[in-house]
Amino acid sequence: MSNGKTKRLGILTGGGDCPGLNAVIRAVAKSAMNEGGFEVIGIEDGFEGLVEGRMRHLRNQDVSGILTCGGTILGTSNKGDPWHYPVKGADGKVTIQDTSSQAMNHYREWGLDALITIGGDGTMTISSKLMELGANIVGVPKTIDNDLAATDLTFGHDSAVYVATEAIDRLHTTASSHHRVMIIELMGRYAGWIALSAGLAGGADVILIPEIPFQWDHVYHRLIERSRYGKRFSIICVAEGARCPDCGEIVKAYDQKRTDAKQLGGVGEYVAKQITENTELESRVTVLGHLQRGGSPTPFDRILATGFGVAACWLAMKGKFGQMVALHGNKVEAVPIKDAIAHLKLVTPQTQKVLAARSVGTSFGDA
Ligand code: F6P
């Protein structure tokens, strides 16, 4: 790492943003400067900045005062996969090209000794491929979805659950006043963690998630049963990736430039339509969307993000590359990046939160 020159640590944030990114950037940069004597190079807009050579020196004052700020001071992108990069030709036509050697050239030209990549499964997959080309990488697990394997939690998830829970609480009061079924569609991609946790915290009557197949009759039965014993309103918490028995996963749009081409969305409206057509109950839909990704991180996420950032910096200082920091119980540890991308971490029917929800009478629409 030394080569007789000042050591240089690059840092980037990849994929969708979430609360806590700035807390990690601050923790990495401060500990790298304070303890490692590193120069810190911020890469703009995730891997896009590495491909295009858009990088800048980060000084102490650049990372000061950002702990509580949402978003990322570096910018991010979910269209920056160097092996699948949109390039505009002279004729204005966009083609998808392999720009990985360009990315590695910029890594070397900027004299990076190591790179901290903060992101989810897409970012960790790209990190793993860049390591095969010679980059020294340490990963930090980020995503509101909490679907990254090999870590109990990703930072950003707690903040998203907090926002979603507050929304459910607010829906409760208007639902009960108007005797309606309120449906809230939450993010999470192919995993139901946000809907499950917020549904549990907000006391949802029905939770629909991708991992637990449901039947319409069971959903209607639960709503009608509630109105029979005097509860004239209900809350349904549905994950955007939930698969309806008749139409499966609902995709809002495809964009081949994205790391994951699918943009999920629309299941909330579909659930409402089914309820209107098949029961006498009145329903309304709220799609919480990017509110779940914006704003200040919760104290839990600030602490987790800071712990992750410092631990990632320590790994880089020790030359322990190819690792991702991870939370196990209440300890921050290191795991091979490969373990984090081996599979998505999904809810299982035996997950304690599912069992607890069932035990207090929440329906998953499966019985
Ligand atoms: O992965 C985070 C996430 O917010 C998912 O929950 C959601 O499906 C997706 O990103 C939305 O992506 P975009 O911001 O590109 O619409």
Side-chain angles (χ1 to χ4, degrees):
M1 286 278 292
S2 68
N3 294 334
K5 62 178 175 69
T6 308
K7 293 163 283 179
R8 277 196 169 177
L9 184 62
I11 181 165
L12 65 79
T13 52
D17 72 338
C18 78
L21 284 166
N22 283 324
V24 179
I25 295 170
R26 168 183 175 271
V28 169
K30 287 203 172 198
S31 56
M33 293 174 202
N34 295 343
E35 296 193 65
F38 284 96
E39 282 179 357
V40 181
I41 308 296
I43 299 167
E44 294 173 1
D45 302 334
F47 292 105
E48 272 188 31
L50 196 61
V51 170
E52 296 173 11
R54 288 189 280 114
M55 313 191 189
R56 61 178 195 261
H57 286 265
L58 291 182
R59 297 154 305 163
N60 210 302
Q61 58 262 45
D62 296 318
V63 296
S64 180
I66 64 170
L67 171 65
T68 61
C69 302
T72 158
I73 59 161
L74 293 174
T76 188
S77 169
N78 51 18
K79 295 179 182 162
D81 180 349
W83 280 267
H84 191 82
Y85 202 77
V87 178
K88 206 180 211 172
D91 56 358
K93 237 180 101 186
V94 175
T95 53
I96 302 295
Q97 295 182 18
D98 177 357
T99 57
S100 53
S101 54
Q102 217 170 300
M104 283 308 294
N105 286 345
H106 290 131
Y107 177 93
R108 292 189 195 99
E109 275 168 23
W110 276 79
L112 299 185
D113 295 288
L115 175 61
I116 307 271
T117 59
I118 310 167
D121 65 323
T123 301
M124 293 308 140
T125 303
I126 295 166
S127 301
S128 177
K129 288 167 82 177
L130 282 174
M131 281 184 321
E132 287 169 19
L133 300 185
N136 294 326
I137 296 186
V138 176
V140 179
K142 162 239 74 167
T143 165
I144 61 164
D145 305 335
N146 195 32
D147 59 356
L148 204 52
T151 182
D152 293 352
L153 267 179
T154 52
F155 77 86
H157 179 66
D158 185 66
S159 303
V161 170
Y162 180 85
V163 170
T165 303
E166 205 207 342
I168 296 172
D169 291 348
R170 287 175 185 272
L171 288 175
H172 247 114
T173 59
T174 172
S176 81
S177 309
H178 284 270
H179 321 299
R180 283 172 172 158
V181 178
M182 288 298 200
I183 298 145
I184 181 164
E185 179 183 311
L186 298 174
M187 281 186 167
R189 232 167 36 131
Y190 310 112
W193 292 110
I194 299 176
L196 174 60
S197 295
L200 194 55
D205 306 295
V206 179
I207 299 177
L208 303 175
I209 58 174
E211 297 91 335
I212 301 182
F214 67 91
Q215 296 299 324
W216 291 118
D217 282 347
H218 296 314
V219 175
Y220 307 148
H221 179 257
R222 178 78 182 111
L223 304 178
I224 293 161
E225 183 191 53
R226 268 178 63 76
S227 51
R228 275 205 201 110
Y229 63 76
K231 291 283 186 184
R232 296 174 60 204
F233 73 96
S234 293
I235 303 282
I236 303 184
C237 194
V238 56
E240 62 180 358
R243 298 182 183 101
C244 298
D246 44 341
C247 64
E249 184 183 80
I250 300 184
V251 178
K252 194 172 174 192
Y254 285 94
D255 181 352
Q256 295 305 333
K257 291 187 228 126
R258 290 159 60 106
T259 310
D260 178 355
K262 270 191 225 170
Q263 192 190 342
L264 298 172
V267 65
E269 281 295 348
Y270 195 72
V271 171
K273 183 172 164 281
Q274 293 297 113
I275 290 169
T276 305
E277 285 173 8
N278 295 286
T279 71
E280 288 175 357
L281 302 167
E282 189 182 19
S283 65
R284 292 288 186 273
V285 184
T286 300
V287 180
L288 202 56
H290 291 80
L291 287 173
Q292 292 157 96
R293 294 221 314 241
S296 192
T298 57
F300 179 90
D301 270 338
R302 295 178 200 185
I303 295 164
L304 184 61
T306 302
F308 275 169
V310 169
C313 183
W314 287 347
L315 285 172
M317 275 159 40
K318 288 182 196 148
K320 293 198 171 161
F321 304 121
Q323 304 286 305
M324 182 186 83
V325 294
L327 187 73
H328 295 147
N330 58 8
K331 268 188 162 174
V332 176
E333 295 178 337
V335 295
I337 289 180
K338 285 205 173 331
D339 290 359
I341 55 177
H343 58 88
L344 281 183
K345 183 182 70 190
L346 300 175
V347 175
T348 66
Q350 290 310 311
T351 302
Q352 277 191 356
K353 284 178 187 167
V354 172
L355 301 180
R358 286 195 198 279
S359 190
V360 295
T362 306
S363 165
F364 287 84
D366 59 340

